Amino acid sequence: MCWTLAICLLIMAVILFLAAVTTSTAYRYKHTIDPLPEKRIAQQQTGPKQPQ
């Protein structure tokens, strides 16, 4: 019975450690936004082309 408890506590400690490492890594991740292409920016500034 003591061995079962020790193994369960060891497994629980490993899972807790892995969860802490994963969460720490996720918070350190730097999110970035890709810039818009130049053509799309120019089109947005001038507005849509009108049919002739």
Side-chain angles (χ1 to χ4, degrees), residues 7-8 11 19 41:
I7 291 172
C8 289
I11 291 172
I41 292 174

Side-chain angles (χ1 to χ4, degrees), residues 12-27:
M12 188 175 69
V14 169
I15 291 173
L16 181 63
F17 174 74
L18 291 175
V21 169
T22 303
T23 303
S24 175
T25 303
Y27 276 116

Side-chain angles (χ1 to χ4, degrees), residues 2 4-5 13 15 25-28 30-31 39-40 51-52:
C2 289
T4 305
L5 180 61
I15 291 173
T25 303
Y27 276 116
R28 279 189 277 142
K30 180 170 174 37
H31 296 276
K39 181 179 178 182
R40 198 168 193 189
Q52 295 189 15

Side-chain angles (χ1 to χ4, degrees), residues 29-35:
Y29 184 77
K30 180 170 174 37
H31 296 276
T32 57
I33 299 174
D34 294 337

